[in-house]
Amino acid sequence: MDSWGTILLGYGITFGAIAAYAYSILSRSRAIGHELGIGVPASSALPHLSGPEDPEDPEGSPGVRSNER
Amino acid sequence: MSGATDRGDSRHLMTSSVATRILGWVGLAAMAVMALLGLVVSPRDRIQGEAVRLLYIHVPTIWVAYGSFVLTAVASALYLWRGSSREDRGRHYDRIAGAAGEVAVLFLALTLVTGMLWGRITWGVFWQWDARLTTTALMFVSYLGYLAIRNMPADIEARSKRAAIAALLAAVNIPIVHFSVEWWRTLHQKASIRSDRNSEITGDMFATLMFSLLAFTLVAAWLMIHRYRLVRLEEIREEEGLALAVSARRAEGVNA
């Protein structure tokens, strides 16, 4: 295998592994969220990372909010 | 009720938020630019030749892994030290430790893989049992053990406590790995960027490496935030399952 083939393999493995891990996190969270019928908006998980998302709740109340029950 | 569900858009639920969506897109764009810089713009190295392009992913992955392992250790120490006095019994610290630990293991695995590929081009072999490579492999195995402890079926507080202790024990290896190239004679090259002497990497190569460090840090931060929130969802599901089991048991008692 020439050096360019090895280099591209390295980039492919790195980008592919990161993308696969990101996909697994998002799909698992979506599955659990749907299973429970709840969501964890940024305001409840890491409040300093996002502003309020809910127009009815401009303060971004802490805690997990029930959505569908 | 959340506005997200009102809109019927699941992308607004679960672990996503405005800030993480921005962070995610910026991280993705940075990775694309990084690939362009690393594969096209950066010149070939006078000694290493084209193999230097692998360093633009190898060095940032170990940078992220080190940082995440340190975060795991700090959060674990805080869990043991301050956890019991907090209202949430230290769950916040435990989630940070778990999320950072998992992301760190992923990036350390990538460090090992990209290092092996670099070694194949430069040394002619994928692996040598020299000090840096051996201690890094040991670190990888020790943090796999940490993740195994986190996934063992046990009471959540007992599991978190065991995991925190394991994280602190595993962290002892971090400085050993980092300074192994200084303490022992190794095949692995010494650090290219140091504060106590001029860097051995300059110009376009230095700029590409710095940008790669930034891109990988952004992506790792995005992954960690989402993993933290997923841990929280998993805990909620566990609690919900327990509550259902208890109520079913109570209903059995009433019916009997």
Side-chain angles (χ1 to χ4, degrees):
Chain A
M1 193 187 296
D2 66 353
S3 62
W4 268 107
T6 310
I7 290 163
L8 291 176
L9 179 64
Y11 275 72
I13 290 171
T14 302
F15 281 59
I18 292 171
Y21 182 65
Y23 178 76
S24 81
I25 290 176
L26 292 178
S27 59
R28 271 190 292 166
S29 69
R30 208 160 287 176
I32 295 175
H34 281 299
E35 186 184 322
L36 298 174
I38 59 171
V40 183
S43 55
S44 61
L46 290 176
H48 56 285
L49 283 174
S50 78
E53 287 197 327
D54 189 344
E56 292 173 10
D57 182 14
E59 297 298 319
S61 310
V64 176
R65 288 178 279 189
S66 174
N67 292 326
E68 294 174 348
R69 285 177 293 181
Chain B
M1 182 177 273
S2 162
T5 303
D6 293 342
R7 290 191 292 272
D9 184 352
S10 64
R11 287 176 304 170
H12 294 273
L13 291 175
M14 321 322 163
T15 56
S16 180
S17 68
V18 174
T20 55
R21 277 194 288 277
I22 293 170
L23 180 63
W25 283 113
V26 171
L28 195 62
M31 289 297 273
V33 173
M34 177 261 139
L36 187 71
L37 291 174
L39 291 172
V40 180
V41 176
S42 171
R44 71 197 302 276
D45 184 65
R46 188 167 50 87
I47 298 167
Q48 294 182 28
E50 303 292 358
V52 72
R53 301 181 195 285
L54 278 171
L55 295 188
Y56 302 136
I57 50 175
H58 178 67
V59 175
T61 52
I62 191 65
W63 155 265
V64 166
Y66 277 156
S68 304
F69 285 139
V70 169
L71 184 58
T72 302
V74 170
S76 298
L78 284 170
Y79 174 80
L80 292 172
W81 180 38
R82 304 279 300 272
S84 56
S85 63
R86 282 172 60 97
E87 195 181 339
D88 67 351
R89 306 288 299 164
R91 301 302 322 141
H92 175 62
Y93 296 137
D94 183 58
R95 285 183 213 123
I96 292 175
E102 196 173 290
V103 170
V105 167
L106 168 72
F107 280 87
L108 188 61
L110 292 173
T111 303
L112 289 169
V113 170
T114 54
M116 287 165 73
L117 293 174
W118 181 88
R120 180 70 183 85
I121 299 172
T122 312
W123 301 335
V125 290
F126 285 109
W127 188 263
Q128 276 288 314
W129 290 103
D130 92 332
R132 168 58 72 84
L133 275 67
T134 305
T135 52
T136 307
L138 280 173
M139 184 159 74
F140 182 65
V141 172
S142 65
Y143 277 97
L144 280 182
Y146 168 76
L147 293 184
I149 290 171
R150 287 198 69 85
N151 287 297
M152 277 168 59
D155 170 67
I156 195 163
E157 287 201 15
R159 187 174 62 199
S160 301
K161 195 172 178 182
R162 287 175 203 153
I165 292 167
L168 291 177
L169 290 175
V172 172
N173 203 14
I174 298 171
I176 296 174
V177 172
H178 185 69
F179 292 109
S180 59
V181 290
E182 307 287 341
W183 294 344
W184 297 289
R185 288 182 64 190
T186 65
L187 194 57
H188 195 283
Q189 67 190 62
K190 289 183 168 35
S192 300
I193 304 166
R194 293 175 56 120
S195 55
D196 60 344
R197 62 178 163 86
N198 291 333
S199 292
E200 292 178 0
I201 183 168
T202 55
D204 287 347
M205 289 182 188
F206 181 76
T208 303
L209 184 58
M210 288 296 108
F211 189 84
S212 300
L213 290 173
L214 174 70
F216 275 80
T217 304
L218 289 173
V219 169
W222 184 89
L223 289 171
M224 235 177 270
I225 293 167
H226 279 270
R227 189 64 186 93
Y228 172 100
R229 293 174 182 171
L230 177 58
V231 173
R232 182 167 180 159
L233 279 178
E234 288 166 344
E235 286 174 5
I236 293 166
R237 182 173 65 174
E238 209 168 305
E239 287 160 12
E240 292 260 329
L242 187 65
L244 280 174
V246 169
S247 60
R249 186 75 179 160
R250 281 184 183 150
E252 280 175 19
V254 169
N255 293 334

